[in-house]
Amino acid sequence: DDPDHEYTSAVVASDAKIYFAGPHLYAINPDGTLAWKLSLLATGWTSPTIAPDGTLYFGEFSWSGKPSDPAEGLITAVKTGSQGFAASAWPKYRHDANNAGVE
């Protein structure tokens, strides 16, 4: 994809797939190949998190950049085949579902 775009931090799921957002929502297989990607309409994204039932959640937002214009956003949920976070020491940005890695 376009190297000029920004991408979010990733989350690693229990099936070892890696998910992150940018111009698309990406799912990367454990071997590094692309599992799938979903086009996104927004211009900004939050780092994803994954629930124990495998639902991936992340925020999408658009803003013109003008202080007088409000930002518009939504929370997107996508069902995956995993069962929550990977059993690793640090599977997502800010550590875990409680964001315990925040200083």
Side-chain angles (χ1 to χ4, degrees):
D1 278 347
D2 186 345
D4 293 332
H5 284 292
E6 294 182 14
Y7 298 88
T8 67
S9 298
V11 62
V12 183
S14 63
D15 60 1
K17 278 198 174 88
I18 300 169
Y19 299 96
F20 63 96
H24 305 280
L25 176 63
Y26 299 88
I28 306 298
N29 290 314
D31 66 1
T33 60
L34 179 68
W36 52 263
K37 68 180 182 180
L38 174 68
S39 292
L40 302 175
L41 300 176
T43 57
W45 314 273
T46 64
S47 296
T49 192
I50 193 161
D53 70 355
T55 304
L56 187 74
Y57 295 95
F58 65 100
E60 297 184 74
F61 59 92
S62 295
W63 182 50
S64 70
K66 296 177 186 176
S68 60
D69 290 347
E72 296 182 7
L74 55 101
I75 295 175
T76 302
V78 176
K79 184 68 175 161
T80 71
S82 74
Q83 296 298 311
F85 294 120
S88 70
W90 206 288
K92 71 177 274 296
Y93 175 64
R94 296 195 173 166
H95 190 264
D96 56 23
N98 293 322
N99 293 326
V102 177
E103 293 183 24

